[in-house]
Amino acid sequence: MVKGLWIAVGVVFAGVVGYKIIEKKNPALLKKIKGSVAEAGNKVNSVISDAKESFYEGYAQA
């Protein structure tokens, strides 16, 4: 268990260092990635809303 904890800490540390390096070298890339993630989240939310609406419509007819 301790070994897994150290691995997790190492991965987090490497992620933070990588983020800082990318932030200094190419800040536009981070903005593009954040925009893409936000857009994907909006699409997923839309799909879930549509599925929920379809379920309610189908359930109401049953």
Side-chain angles (χ1 to χ4, degrees), residues 2-3 13 17 19 23-24 31 34 51-52 54 61:
V2 174
K3 186 186 255 186
F13 179 75
V17 170
Y19 177 81
E23 186 177 43
K24 283 186 178 181
K31 289 181 183 177
K34 287 179 184 177
K52 186 168 86 172
S54 295
Q61 292 179 2

Side-chain angles (χ1 to χ4, degrees), residues 1-18:
M1 178 156 163
V2 174
K3 186 186 255 186
L5 180 62
W6 282 112
I7 291 171
V9 169
V11 168
V12 169
F13 179 75
V16 170
V17 170

Side-chain angles (χ1 to χ4, degrees), residues 33-57:
I33 290 171
K34 287 179 184 177
S36 296
V37 169
E39 186 178 321
N42 290 338
K43 287 181 182 178
V44 168
N45 192 18
S46 175
V47 168
I48 290 172
S49 295
D50 290 345
K52 186 168 86 172
E53 183 179 328
S54 295
F55 174 77
Y56 286 140
E57 287 174 359

